Amino acid sequence: MTEQAGLDGSARTRAELLKADHWTDDAYDEFARRCLAAARKTPLFRGIAHFSNNIVDFAVRPAGADPFPAAGGLPWDEEVETEGRPGRQLLRCVADFSTTLDRLETGYLMRVLAVTTGGAMHYGRLKRGQHLVSVTLADDGVDALDWMMNDTVADIREAVLHQPDEHLGGDKNRPLRALDGPQDINFEADRTADQALVSVLRSHWRSLVNRHDLQYAAYYRDWALVCAGDALGDRLISPHLVGVVAAAKRAMYHDIAFRLRTTVASLAEPLQSIGLSGLTRLVLDVQEGAVYIHWLGEGEGDFVLGVTLDQFEVANAETRLRELVRGIAAAGS
């Protein structure tokens, strides 16, 4: 079932609302209205799908958009089910990521942003069993889609579900803190690595990894750990580590880097189903901060893993991580 919804104020003036057959009352009206409003003000969005217990309830897409491929579906699938299939595939990955991250005891997974050179998929948790998945097929539409969906999740949670804002993506208005001089961090490096390179990397870590936002970072090359540094021993961070000593936390992050190898590979299915490939960035946003993976070049085993434990600093920590990645790339060139 398809309805036309007028959209004003942008180049895309109309969007389609696709309803599942089980939409028989007004239970989904407020969710759909807010998703349509979000689509109206977001350039380069391709679609938003709403799921309850892994079943697609409705989807929003630009009017006249080419449907997603129906490969892997059933002959009798409704168009809304075809539209929701990539999102349902992503939800399986989210379940795997959640299992991996549960060991950190930093709360449930609220947001996933999987970015490629051609676009991105975004997952946002509304509540247990209720989710939004959105897509952009433009690399310059990723940031707009990300913040639109973060704001939409917060709006629905507060206005419709009467739940608190969980600050997906952190506080985008919080200024990046100025760091005064080299930071006091724990830094370790592979003893077999080139020592001149290690010296440069140590300098980058001490200037960027800190107790306020980017509190842990590790550099992997061909899946092998080159170096890692953190501020987990700082007393400002100790409340986040109640019941878990800093050394144990470091070991957990190292273990997660290897556990993610399999689950990251599983992202290929939903991404390829919408014509995207080649992950460049992955954000796993939990209740207490986030875990980031930024890839270096084309090798899937060459990446930097970053962590923040402060939910309000999620955006700032990733800004700091980007600078660290640039420094690593320059050091290795």
Side-chain angles (χ1 to χ4, degrees), residues 290-317:
V291 175
Y292 321 88
I293 299 178
H294 283 221
W295 276 268
L296 297 161
E298 298 181 359
E300 67 174 25
D302 300 344
F303 60 90
V304 182
L305 184 148
V307 176
T308 183
L309 296 168
D310 189 330
Q311 187 57 33
F312 289 106
E313 297 286 359
V314 167
N316 284 339

Side-chain angles (χ1 to χ4, degrees), residues 37-222:
R40 177 177 61 244
K41 60 186 180 183
T42 305
L44 303 178
F45 102 98
R46 167 52 186 82
I48 308 169
H50 179 280
F51 296 85
S52 298
N53 296 316
N54 297 328
I55 296 173
V56 63
D57 304 306
F58 65 83
V60 175
R61 69 182 181 191
D66 291 335
F68 286 138
L74 299 171
W76 51 82
D77 279 350
E78 296 289 332
E79 193 167 4
V80 65
E81 294 172 323
T82 301
E83 190 72 16
R85 187 171 298 111
R88 193 162 57 247
Q89 293 168 342
L90 181 62
L91 291 180
R92 290 198 294 267
C93 300
V94 169
D96 290 339
F97 286 135
S98 295
T99 300
T100 300
L101 295 174
D102 278 348
R103 299 181 66 245
L104 296 177
E105 298 183 0
T106 48
Y108 52 73
L109 183 58
M110 307 184 299
R111 161 181 166 255
V112 174
L113 182 65
V115 184
T116 74
T117 55
M121 296 186 76
H122 181 290
Y123 157 82
R125 181 189 189 274
L126 294 173
K127 67 174 186 177
R128 184 179 178 87
Q130 189 173 353
H131 320 278
L132 293 176
V133 175
S134 58
V135 171
T136 180
L137 299 179
D139 58 353
D140 54 349
V142 173
D143 288 345
L145 181 83
D146 184 21
W147 284 112
M148 175 271 284
M149 292 308 302
N150 296 341
D151 290 344
T152 301
V153 169
D155 176 41
I156 290 175
R157 281 183 58 83
E158 292 180 307
V160 182
L161 299 175
H162 299 161
Q163 297 291 317
D165 178 5
E166 295 186 300
H167 306 286
L168 272 66
D171 182 354
K172 63 183 175 183
N173 297 314
R174 178 170 291 206
L176 188 66
R177 187 186 302 264
L179 301 178
D180 299 324
Q183 304 303 296
D184 183 15
I185 65 168
N186 176 77
F187 182 84
E188 297 175 316
D190 179 2
R191 294 178 181 177
T192 66
D194 178 88
Q195 292 308 299
L197 173 63
V198 168
S199 178
V200 173
L201 295 176
R202 181 183 288 107
S203 175
H204 288 312
W205 255 254
R206 293 188 68 204
S207 65
L208 294 167
V209 175
N210 65 90
R211 64 180 186 161
H212 303 291
D213 43 61
L214 181 61
Q215 294 146 346
Y216 175 95
Y219 170 33
Y220 288 81
R221 190 165 53 203
D222 195 22

